[in-house]
Amino acid sequence: MDSSPALLLLLALGLCCPGIHGIPEIKVRSHNDITQLRLGQRLQLECQTGRDSGAFWIRQDNRGTLHFIVFINSISRATFSGDQKRPPRFEASKDKTIYRLVVKSFTPQDEGNYFCMIIFNQNLYFSPGQPAFLPVTTTVAPTTSGSTPKRGTTEEPNLSTPDPEGRMPEELNFFCRLFIWGPLTGLCLLLLIALAITIVLCRQTRRRRCRCKR
């Protein structure tokens, strides 16, 4: 899954980024028991948007990096990361205003928070994040020989999770500034070129007038 070019193009379509915390009309649910995911299990997610204008699926990994997965348009055509028509790991489909994403065989690489996103009136709207993580495995502390046997102790799982609502606005604001100032810079260059051409044409016109007076 690409995390930079495709996602930058996706975020540029929004022009500006209000509404990034999601709206009530966008709902994400899983057909699986999300708390009991197993390695190699098939994971199916559904996004109910209430609109027939297409939807994006995005994953945020443990480090907070966003990964574009797929865009499903209004006629059920899916465009995956890297322009793959049928990627081996994912499936995508649409039923009216429900957009489905299927991870065929769940691996640690697929762990993270899954978001559904739509673009409406040039604004980006995100669903609440749907976490999908494999269960944390526990280990039993080894016992020394000759000592009194004790009950196995387990290590406490790391309960710290990434804050998608805190980091996502910062990344989106950066992308917004990038795609606002980029076109403005290009426009300024065009104006400078037009000004230079105008000056050259004016000088040529003055020379012609001077020759005519002689």
Side-chain angles (χ1 to χ4, degrees):
M1 290 180 289
D2 296 337
S3 60
S4 297
L7 186 58
L8 286 174
L9 178 60
L10 166 63
L11 296 175
L13 297 176
L15 297 182
C16 205
C17 308
I20 57 178
H21 296 291
I23 54 177
E25 289 77 4
I26 306 180
K27 299 178 181 179
V28 174
R29 68 186 185 92
S30 170
H31 279 250
N32 312 79
D33 184 358
I34 209 72
T35 61
Q36 298 295 327
L37 278 177
R38 299 187 304 273
L39 189 66
Q41 181 178 349
R42 181 182 176 90
L43 173 65
Q44 180 173 331
L45 301 173
E46 286 189 354
C47 175
Q48 173 67 53
T49 65
R51 300 187 180 278
D52 194 23
S53 56
F56 299 84
W57 279 102
I58 298 172
R59 178 180 67 90
Q60 184 183 40
D61 61 23
N62 293 327
R63 295 174 297 179
T65 304
L66 299 175
H67 300 265
F68 166 73
I69 301 176
V70 64
F71 169 67
I72 311 170
N73 65 12
S74 58
I75 58 175
S76 303
R77 181 178 179 181
T79 302
F80 290 89
S81 173
D83 293 331
Q84 301 180 47
K85 294 183 179 180
R86 293 182 179 274
R89 297 173 53 202
F90 300 103
E91 292 178 355
S93 60
K94 172 182 174 293
D95 181 13
K96 295 181 181 180
T97 60
I98 297 177
Y99 299 84
R100 295 186 178 91
L101 173 68
V102 175
V103 183
K104 298 180 182 179
S105 180
F106 198 85
T107 66
Q109 184 180 356
D110 301 311
E111 289 187 317
N113 289 284
Y114 285 78
F115 295 88
C116 178
M117 188 197 78
I118 65 172
I119 297 177
F120 179 67
N121 286 341
Q122 296 184 345
N123 292 332
L124 302 179
Y125 294 95
F126 280 80
S127 70
Q130 174 62 65
F133 296 91
L134 293 170
V136 179
T137 57
T138 59
T139 57
V140 178
T143 57
T144 58
S145 58
S147 59
T148 305
K150 299 180 181 179
R151 294 182 179 178
T153 58
T154 59
E155 297 180 355
E156 294 184 359
N158 185 9
L159 300 180
S160 62
T161 57
D163 184 7
E165 295 185 356
R167 180 158 183 174
M168 188 178 301
E170 297 178 0
E171 295 182 355
L172 293 179
N173 287 334
F174 169 76
F175 294 139
C176 287
R177 291 193 295 269
L178 177 63
F179 285 97
I180 288 174
W181 287 106
L184 288 178
T185 304
L187 181 59
C188 291
L189 290 176
L190 290 176
L191 291 175
L192 288 175
I193 293 172
L195 180 60
I197 294 173
T198 302
I199 293 173
V200 172
L201 293 176
C202 288
R203 288 182 177 178
Q204 292 179 353
T205 303
R206 289 179 180 177
R207 289 178 181 176
R208 290 177 182 177
R209 290 180 179 176
C210 293
R211 290 177 182 176
C212 293
K213 290 181 178 179
R214 292 179 182 176

